[in-house]
Amino acid sequence: MLFQNKIDRAFKYQHEQAAPNEIPEEYNGEKLYEPTLEDMLDKKDMFSLIVSAWITIVPACLGVLLLIVFIAQLIFRIF
């Protein structure tokens, strides 16, 4: 690489300047903490998620059903 010596010196300088407790320990691969669904959601969050799903899904389904009825009306002349 073009400036590899300068990069190596900069990394070495940063490593020397870092406090001993700032240097991360080796990660052994186990998860230290995995949040549950209850940790991530409040009581009001679930209600707002349900309402937003209804606001999104109901108009889309209504549109698809109206499209099916319109196509059936054109084909079979029901109404």
Side-chain angles (χ1 to χ4, degrees):
M1 200 177 336
L2 188 54
F3 295 106
Q4 188 63 43
N5 289 338
K6 289 186 179 186
I7 294 172
D8 290 339
R9 280 189 294 156
F11 280 136
K12 184 178 177 185
Y13 179 75
Q14 282 182 338
H15 185 70
E16 290 172 355
Q17 295 299 319
N21 57 358
E22 291 180 9
I23 298 172
E25 296 177 12
E26 290 296 322
Y27 180 64
N28 63 359
E30 72 179 60
K31 293 184 179 179
L32 301 176
Y33 173 72
E34 185 165 341
T36 61
L37 184 61
E38 290 82 20
D39 292 338
M40 294 185 292
L41 293 177
D42 290 336
K43 289 182 179 179
K44 294 180 182 178
D45 286 344
M46 189 58 75
F47 177 72
S48 64
L49 286 172
I50 292 171
V51 168
S52 14
W54 274 99
I55 290 173
T56 304
I57 293 171
V58 169
C61 292
L62 187 63
V64 169
L65 287 174
L66 287 175
L67 182 67
I68 291 171
V69 168
F70 180 70
I71 291 173
Q73 183 181 1
L74 287 178
I75 293 174
F76 300 114
R77 308 248 181 227
I78 300 173
F79 300 120

